Amino acid sequence: MITLPRGRTFRLVTVTVLVLITFLFLHSSLTDSETEYSRRRISEKANLNRLLHQPGSPYTRADLGYAQKGGLTLVPVDHVSPNNTQNPAPTPRVKAAIVMLARNSDANGASQSISQLQKRFNDRFHYPYVFLNDRPFDEAFKAKMREAAPRSELLFGLIPKEHWSYPPWIDQEKAAAARKDYGERHIIYGDSEPYRHMCRYNSGFFYRHPLLDEFDYYWRVEPDVKFYCDIPDDPFRFMQENNKLYGFTISLYEYIETIPTLWKTTREFMAENPTLVRSDNAVRWLADTPEEYNKCHFWSNFEIASLHLWRSKAYSAYFDHLDHAGGFFYERWGDAPVHSIGAAMILKPEQIHFFNNIGYYHGPFHHCPVDQPKLADRCECDGTENFDMNGYSCTHKWFQLFGGGQDNIEAEKVANVNRRIKEKKKKEEEEKKKEEEAKAREQEAKRREDAAKAAKQKEEDDKAAAAKQKEEQEKKAAAKAAADKEEAAKAQAEKESLLTGKMDKAEVDAARDAAAQETP
């Protein structure tokens, strides 16, 4: 027989049972999403611990701390591509792709870029290509790309219409008025509608394309670019093994007319979302003061970067803030300053890499590696003739703030010496040319003077000869007239002599008068 507890013991047992039932009920009432969230948090923590403690890890606790706050995925150094057994590369191939946004009409320029990149790099590493277009690629374009990269995987993607169109909050009449105004002011691409869609797409959507879902890194390539140097090492693996999340070759100043309110809008975002801005960031490169954007930006037609940088919560929030402000359409915000500001806010300077060893040209600027002795026979350009240290470049500012670029600085010294030598030589040549021109002018003046004297002398000689000839002709005429007169007188005398003998005086006088009348 079971004896039930009584009194205080009964109440204690009852309360205990009720608490147990309540606990079991609450535990069982957890939703699947909450359970999944807990599992995901545990998985994320385990992954972060792995990132921090794995052999050769490039990450610090500060990197992991910000990654958690900013929703930034960091990639383990051994995160390799699952299809790496095909066309084995010199080093394990990471999950990366070469990406090009192109139109069908860009086929020739795209083929040129891909052919050069294959020759310089990808014939050894065999990374896949992803081509994106807001219209379906035609077979002619595809054939051209297959011809340029016959041993590489080529993926052709169509951009979703919602990524290449006006979002519902944009006033299209206001946008059209802005294009008209920019066109009248002759601002570069100011009146172009497709260009604005392209800038918005590159700023906030290309990395969301399903064809890029499996990749961690990308290399952006555009039609009609040139690669000057052989690239024997894998830049993707370098990025992965050294905690580099953004890489560039050229930086410069933006046209402020295209982005008049971009920095104001950015500062609003930073003020509203301080936890999404990394404290040890690189923003000081592009803002001389918190209130003033100096217009520096990475030229985004070349980028080697982490796709997770743009997929992060921090950048997604930043892009959404910009997108709702409307500056892509009401002004002409480019993806280059947007990417540059986003990267500078989210990354520390050490996570941004200057690819000095990649020679690159996109008209009208070029980057050529300056440490040519180290790159002997690998480059087809002059490292001392380089845009890096040009007054319109921001790369020298990067070196000043964050170090590096010693080769560039030394090369600039050499370039300055060579420039001074060239200028001196040019000045000497110009002075010599001026002297030769002055001497030639003197010689020409003397020649003309001599010619004038000769012409005058000839004129005088001709006049004298003509006068002499006339005088001689007059003398000849006078002599002839005198001879004729003498001959006539003689003939008259003979005639009179004959007549005298045969005529009387009256007849002679008559004959003389007749002869006198005949004589002129």
Side-chain angles (χ1 to χ4, degrees):
M1 177 181 291
I2 300 174
T3 303
L4 295 174
R6 297 185 180 185
R8 181 179 298 176
T9 303
F10 178 77
R11 290 194 297 273
L12 180 62
V13 171
T14 303
V15 169
T16 302
V17 171
L18 289 173
V19 169
L20 180 61
I21 292 172
T22 302
F23 173 77
L24 292 174
F25 174 78
L26 291 173
H27 179 73
S28 63
S29 67
L30 288 174
T31 63
D32 292 339
S33 61
E34 289 172 330
T35 303
E36 179 61 29
Y37 175 76
S38 299
R39 290 173 182 167
R40 189 168 64 250
R41 293 290 292 175
I42 293 170
S43 176
E44 287 176 357
K45 187 173 182 180
N47 183 54
L48 291 174
N49 285 330
R50 178 193 173 205
L51 287 171
L52 184 62
H53 298 297
Q54 73 174 144
S57 173
Y59 303 112
T60 67
R61 289 192 180 278
D63 296 333
L64 271 60
Y66 176 76
Q68 287 182 296
K69 290 192 297 182
L72 173 61
T73 299
L74 300 177
V75 178
V77 295
D78 58 352
H79 204 212
V80 298
S81 177
N83 64 347
N84 198 43
T85 56
Q86 301 176 5
N87 299 320
T91 59
R93 192 169 60 203
V94 303
K95 294 182 177 180
I98 300 165
V99 180
M100 177 181 286
L101 181 65
R103 300 162 296 186
N104 289 310
S105 58
D106 293 323
N108 290 335
S111 175
Q112 172 197 294
S113 299
I114 298 307
S115 297
Q116 287 204 0
L117 191 58
Q118 284 294 114
K119 173 188 172 184
R120 297 295 191 182
F121 166 71
N122 206 37
D123 271 342
R124 291 186 295 281
F125 292 92
H126 311 291
Y127 279 102
Y129 289 91
V130 176
F131 297 93
L132 301 175
N133 190 355
D134 65 313
R135 297 182 180 181
F137 284 108
D138 58 33
E139 289 304 316
F141 183 95
K142 294 179 181 179
K144 202 88 172 175
M145 297 310 103
R146 294 188 185 105
E147 182 182 352
R151 295 192 299 156
S152 295
E153 180 184 10
L154 307 182
L155 305 173
F156 299 92
L158 180 64
I159 296 171
K161 185 172 179 57
E162 60 269 22
H163 291 174
W164 196 282
S165 58
Y166 291 101
W169 56 83
I170 293 297
D171 182 340
Q172 294 192 38
E173 290 185 2
K174 181 179 177 180
R179 292 196 302 275
K180 183 175 182 296
D181 172 56
Y182 273 48
E184 291 173 349
R185 288 192 282 147
H186 304 290
I187 295 173
I188 186 169
Y189 301 118
D191 58 353
S192 174
E193 186 176 35
Y195 191 84
R196 284 171 167 80
H197 285 299
M198 181 270 290
C199 289
R200 178 174 179 261
Y201 180 76
N202 278 330
S203 295
F205 294 102
F206 84 93
Y207 50 88
R208 307 186 199 190
H209 198 284
L211 290 179
L212 292 175
D213 284 349
E214 66 178 283
F215 300 113
D216 295 322
Y217 300 90
Y218 72 100
W219 182 337
R220 177 174 166 181
V221 177
E222 290 198 352
D224 297 304
V225 301
K226 295 179 182 177
F227 295 94
Y228 290 134
C229 303
D230 294 335
I231 307 169
D233 302 316
D234 185 351
F236 292 123
R237 178 146 291 278
F238 172 83
M239 298 280 285
Q240 187 183 71
E241 292 179 349
N242 293 276
N243 187 19
K244 306 294 185 182
L245 302 186
Y246 189 89
F248 72 100
T249 56
I250 293 174
S251 69
L252 67 163
Y253 294 96
E254 179 62 297
Y255 297 104
I256 194 62
E257 294 86 356
T258 66
I259 52 167
T261 67
L262 176 60
W263 187 244
K264 174 179 175 291
T265 309
T266 296
R267 292 194 66 212
E268 291 170 355
F269 169 81
M270 295 170 73
E272 295 170 7
N273 302 274
T275 60
L276 298 182
V277 180
R278 182 162 180 156
S279 58
D280 55 344
N281 59 46
V283 170
R284 61 189 183 279
W285 175 65
L286 46 79
D288 298 328
T289 67
E291 296 79 19
E292 182 182 3
Y293 174 42
N294 61 24
K295 301 173 290 181
C296 282
H297 67 283
F298 306 116
W299 219 20
S300 61
N301 48 69
F302 174 101
E303 289 179 329
I304 299 178
S306 167
L307 285 160
H308 299 295
L309 170 61
W310 313 129
R311 293 168 179 159
S312 69
K313 179 178 76 173
Y315 183 78
S316 297
Y318 176 57
F319 172 75
D320 288 344
H321 184 83
L322 297 183
D323 201 24
H324 280 80
F328 291 105
F329 299 106
Y330 301 148
E331 296 178 11
R332 207 231 65 192
W333 293 352
D335 55 277
V338 170
H339 274 194
S340 301
I341 295 172
M345 283 195 303
I346 296 170
L347 304 179
K348 62 182 181 181
E350 294 81 4
Q351 292 175 306
I352 299 174
H353 182 67
F354 171 58
F355 276 104
N356 180 50
N357 64 324
I358 298 179
Y360 176 73
Y361 170 83
H362 184 292
F365 305 119
H366 75 276
H367 163 72
C368 182
V370 296
D371 48 346
Q372 292 288 10
K374 302 176 188 176
L375 302 172
D377 302 323
R378 276 172 45 186
C379 295
E380 296 178 353
C381 56
D382 184 354
T384 62
E385 296 295 328
N386 205 354
F387 181 69
D388 298 346
M389 308 302 283
N390 183 287
Y392 196 62
S393 170
C394 290
T395 302
H396 58 90
K397 184 178 181 67
W398 181 269
F399 297 151
Q400 291 168 358
L401 287 171
F402 307 123
Q406 192 59 40
D407 288 330
N408 299 69
I409 295 169
E410 293 301 321
E412 182 64 14
K413 293 178 182 177
V414 173
N416 286 334
V417 171
N418 292 339
R419 198 174 294 120
R420 285 193 293 269
I421 292 172
K422 285 183 179 179
E423 289 173 354
K424 182 179 178 182
K425 185 177 180 181
K426 183 180 179 181
K427 187 176 181 180
E428 290 174 350
E429 289 176 350
E430 288 176 349
E431 289 176 352
K432 184 178 178 181
K433 184 178 179 181
K434 288 179 181 178
E435 290 176 0
E436 290 175 350
E437 289 176 348
K439 186 176 180 180
R441 285 195 297 270
E442 289 176 2
Q443 291 175 345
E444 177 64 15
K446 190 173 183 306
R447 185 192 66 78
R448 291 181 179 179
E449 183 181 354
D450 292 345
K453 288 180 178 180
K456 186 175 181 180
Q457 185 62 47
K458 184 175 182 302
E459 183 181 359
E460 291 176 352
D461 292 345
D462 289 345
K463 286 181 178 180
K468 186 176 180 181
Q469 183 181 11
K470 183 178 180 182
E471 183 181 356
E472 290 175 352
Q473 288 176 347
E474 289 176 349
K475 286 180 179 180
K476 287 181 180 180
K480 185 176 183 301
D484 291 344
K485 187 173 181 180
E486 183 180 352
E487 187 67 27
K490 185 178 180 181
Q492 181 63 30
E494 290 177 352
K495 187 175 180 181
E496 287 180 353
S497 176
L498 291 173
L499 290 174
T500 304
K502 296 179 180 179
M503 302 177 185
D504 57 18
K505 184 177 182 304
E507 290 176 335
V508 170
D509 291 338
R512 185 181 290 117
D513 291 339
Q517 291 177 359
E518 293 176 0
T519 301

